[in-house]
């Protein structure tokens, strides 16, 4: 059985296309009592972008904090605030921000129409009801969250996505101008999320011609952005993220992401940086990818924290291994059906301690 | 204003994925009186594929002739046959075949829910009502019809597509095994439709980073298929068509396609071959593309008909020029807003007579 890939229904791409948001929402407004829900990264609360958000009348704008990676409790709290605000559903949930804001918007749009806690839905295809129409506007590129079928959350026990066809955005606006203001290190770490997607997809057992051609294009664009061009590369980076996301949507990530999830869960390390730390220790598995990743770091003048696991106690290390091991499809993709005989807890411990 | 690209909602890719059609349709069957409509290229009426088409109960299977390029009258006739068969709509319209069969399936699915003749809708965004759910399964690759927002038809006066968001397939199944049996020349001419999409998109004024990255990947895949690899290239060709289609969906084709439409309308030359004949005469406009196209022809051992316009009378030539000139967005993409001052009737005549 081949996967039936749910694609994002509609895409607008172009510099300044953010300003089409108002017109898009106008088509969706269902009357005078209806409202839009904006979930916006609070880094923009004092920005020029704030004034461009077309919030009006009864619309609800919530600034979301992404200082920490998004947690299920936070998604539940935001969902409760929306329910307290109105007994009707918003016409559209609009997410504006990086991968965390995208995932929060996806998760809230799902939880508004599904009972219980978002933690109940961490896994694969557990969502029962379609989400509220949701629209994503990335302000960082690399995560692929704009096209993926997951909303990755840190829950009580694990970091794991709400993976479902209903998670996929109905509409995205890809405006390269929005990613131009990001700090260089954040831009790099997030871009390397995309690069890791390509390395893991292309070197995985789930690879197929669809995912391969997407990953190859994303990788070529990453090279343009991080190795070749010195001038404006926002458009290429945005397209790299799009294709990298499409690639893993039709294949899977691998060891780098599995280890990165453990780093995020236990140490609170953000996803992009976690991937960079993990990838940097995976020469045995992705030799060419690791070499090129280091060239990109060097060319961009970006560093990694030294010995991020220094002083970690054994209980935390064991928990990191637990979190990584939950991600069975990632290991199977990387190492094949027999991965459990290769990737023991001891082996994962060694990989973590190598960081 | 940037275009809001309607994407195909769902994609299945993989060798043998055709056999998932039955399960997909089962999800859509709405009761004992419901039926599916299969529109299948009649080249398969005596093939092994015939036995694999999951037609059952009240389903209606119509073999469609694509000896000629699809005409509006033919679409209207097929639509009338479906209406005569049942007073309800089919649950799904399934198109199986090359670009012509894809376009017929798209057009019939639109005409079942829109009044009048399909000729009334040749143009841009003239369709009022959503189509019946439609599913495309290409058996030739290159046209991009599987992802495009058009259904190209020859009408009473012109060759022009029904361009609308409603035209886009709801589901496609990309099974590379299905394209492996095509005759070498047909495979090549159809593949060059994709190559022409890339040349025209990349060299057009409508180009943007989204369309560019799609066209670059499609072009790289065309090179693999037609210049580099000697072994099985079905998967790559199928992905080339997908990306080439995405590229023109977010930009536009150009001079080659405009001239090719005239060839089809007046001389009945099929679209893929028409593109090859046109492209071969466009060195002044697409020098690199024409050079590479000729290398591909040579490598593949494919020829073109000599002097296809021999003996054409002036009325026919004038009509060809008329048909080409209808396609204003194509000329504008190729030559800019001021194209009318450059591309006179006389100039188009010269281009045709150069073929």
């Amino acid at each position: 059985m081949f996967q039936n890939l749910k694609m994002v229904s509609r895409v607008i791409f172009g510099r300044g296309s953010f300003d089409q948001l108002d017109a898009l929402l106008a088509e969706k407004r269902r009357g005078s009592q209806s409202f839009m829900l904006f979930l916006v990264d609070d880094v923009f609360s004092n920005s020029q972008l704030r004034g461009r958000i077309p919030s009006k009348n009864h619309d609800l704008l919530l600034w979301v904090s992404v200082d920490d990676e998004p947690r299920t409790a936070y998604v539940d709290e935001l969902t409760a605030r929306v329910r307290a605000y109105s007994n009707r559903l918003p016409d559209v949930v609009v997410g504006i921000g990086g991968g965390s804001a995208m995932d929060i918007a996806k998760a809230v749009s799902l939880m508004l129409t599904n009972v219980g806690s978002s933690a109940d839905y961490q896994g694969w295809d557990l969502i029962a009801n379609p989400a509220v129409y949701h629209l994503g506007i990335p302000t960082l590129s690399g995560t692929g969250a704009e096209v993926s079928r997951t909303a990755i959350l840190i829950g009580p026990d694990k970091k794991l996505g709400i993976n479902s066809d209903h998670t996929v955005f109905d509409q995205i606006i890809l405006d390269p101008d929005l990613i131009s203001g990001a700090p260089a290190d954040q831009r790099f770490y997030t871009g390397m999320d995309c690069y890791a997607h390509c390395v893991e997809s292309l070197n995985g057992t789930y690879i197929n011609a669809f995912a391969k051609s997407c990953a190859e294009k994303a990788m070529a664009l990453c090279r343009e952005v991080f190795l070749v061009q010195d001038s404006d590369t926002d458009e290429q980076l945005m397209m790299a993220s799009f294709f990298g996301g499409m690639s893993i949507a039709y294949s899977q990530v691998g060891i780098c992401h599995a280890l990165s999830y453990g780093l995020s869960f236990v140490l609170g390390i953000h996803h992009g940086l976690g991937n960079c730390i993990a990838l940097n220790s995976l020469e045995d598995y992705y030799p060419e990818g690791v070499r090129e990743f280091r060239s990109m770091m060097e060319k961009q003048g970006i560093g990694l924290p030294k010995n991020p696991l220094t002083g970690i106690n054994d209980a935390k290390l064991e928990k990191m291994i637990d979190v990584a091991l939950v991600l069975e499809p990632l290991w199977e993709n990387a190492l094949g059906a027999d991965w459990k005989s290769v990737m023991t807890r001891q082996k994962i411990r060694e990989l973590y301690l190598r960081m």
Side-chain angles (χ1 to χ4, degrees), chain A:
Chain A
M1 279 285 282
F2 298 94
Q3 181 190 346
N4 193 1
L5 179 68
K6 173 80 169 67
M7 306 246 281
V8 168
S9 303
R10 286 183 176 272
V11 181
I12 294 181
F13 179 94
R15 291 190 179 282
S17 57
F18 181 83
D19 292 330
Q20 287 175 226
L21 177 59
D22 192 18
L24 286 181
L25 295 181
E27 290 172 20
K28 299 285 174 190
R29 292 186 187 272
R30 280 187 294 231
S32 64
Q33 290 308 304
S34 83
F35 73 103
M36 301 291 161
L37 170 63
F38 296 88
L39 296 165
V40 189
D41 185 333
D42 63 8
V43 76
F44 296 110
S45 63
N46 284 310
S47 73
Q48 179 261 347
L49 187 69
R50 178 181 190 150
R52 293 168 64 200
I53 297 171
S55 164
K56 54 185 73 168
N57 306 327
H58 299 288
D59 292 350
L60 176 61
L61 191 158
L62 299 178
W63 298 104
V64 298
S65 166
V66 295
D67 296 342
D68 298 323
E69 296 232 295
R71 293 181 175 277
T72 51
Y74 188 47
V75 166
D76 295 347
E77 179 199 319
L78 290 166
T79 306
R81 285 175 68 183
V82 180
R83 290 205 176 111
Y85 177 76
S86 173
N87 55 12
R88 48 189 293 170
L89 292 171
D91 295 338
V92 180
V93 175
V94 181
I96 303 174
S100 294
M102 293 292 100
D103 283 354
I104 289 170
K106 288 167 159 185
V108 170
S109 73
L110 288 163
M111 293 316 300
L112 284 168
T113 55
N114 287 276
V115 296
S117 162
S118 52
D120 304 337
Y121 300 97
Q122 287 182 284
W124 282 272
D125 302 307
L126 303 174
I127 289 285
N129 303 315
V132 173
Y133 186 100
H134 48 303
L135 186 159
I137 307 179
T139 62
L140 271 172
S141 282
T143 67
E146 65 276 25
V147 292
S148 75
R149 71 190 295 275
T150 192
I152 301 168
L153 303 175
I154 293 185
D157 315 312
K158 53 186 182 272
K159 177 175 176 178
L160 186 61
I162 303 179
N163 296 273
S164 92
D165 287 343
H166 301 303
T167 311
V168 179
F169 279 116
D170 297 291
Q171 168 87 57
I172 56 176
I173 297 177
L174 302 178
D175 181 345
D177 281 349
L178 298 182
I179 70 167
S180 64
D185 56 348
Q186 197 177 19
R187 176 187 173 91
F188 181 78
Y189 298 143
T190 310
M192 288 303 100
D193 191 9
C194 173
Y195 186 75
H197 292 160
C198 301
V199 169
E200 293 174 285
S201 164
L202 290 169
N203 291 285
T205 61
Y206 291 9
I207 195 66
N208 54 69
F210 186 99
K212 181 167 180 272
S213 57
C214 292
E216 284 169 347
K217 187 63 206 173
M219 202 167 222
L221 288 162
C222 283
R223 287 181 186 130
E224 277 292 309
V225 171
F226 295 111
L227 285 177
V228 179
Q229 285 198 38
D230 287 317
S231 60
D232 182 3
T233 52
D234 294 334
E235 295 190 338
Q236 288 97 318
L237 184 54
M238 200 150 232
M239 289 310 302
S241 179
F242 180 89
F243 285 119
M246 294 259 288
S247 177
I248 53 165
Y250 213 67
S251 60
Q252 188 49 274
V253 285
I255 304 179
C256 174
H257 272 70
L259 296 180
S260 169
Y261 275 41
L263 293 173
S264 292
F265 188 89
V266 175
L267 301 177
I269 294 173
H270 278 219
H271 183 71
L273 177 57
N275 281 337
C276 289
I277 293 169
L279 187 58
N280 200 37
S281 73
L282 288 171
E283 275 173 297
D284 295 351
Y285 298 92
Y286 306 119
E288 284 177 44
V290 173
R291 204 158 42 235
E292 191 164 55
F293 159 70
R294 289 179 185 155
S295 311
M296 290 175 175
M297 265 206 300
E298 195 184 335
K299 164 92 176 163
Q300 298 298 318
I302 304 283
L304 292 180
K306 298 249 179 277
N307 312 113
L309 275 74
T310 300
I312 193 170
N313 66 33
D314 208 57
K316 285 188 172 175
L317 192 51
E318 287 298 313
K319 184 65 196 174
M320 275 166 62
I321 298 168
D322 290 341
V323 172
L325 278 170
V326 167
L327 302 153
E328 301 208 347
L330 284 66
W331 294 107
E332 183 176 289
N333 176 45
L335 301 166
D338 191 35
W339 66 270
K340 285 182 184 169
S341 69
V342 184
M343 194 49 68
T344 58
R345 294 186 71 89
Q346 180 54 29
K347 187 75 213 161
I348 297 177
R349 170 186 289 263
E350 286 167 26
L351 288 173
Y352 272 127
L353 292 175
R354 197 184 284 179
M355 290 174 187

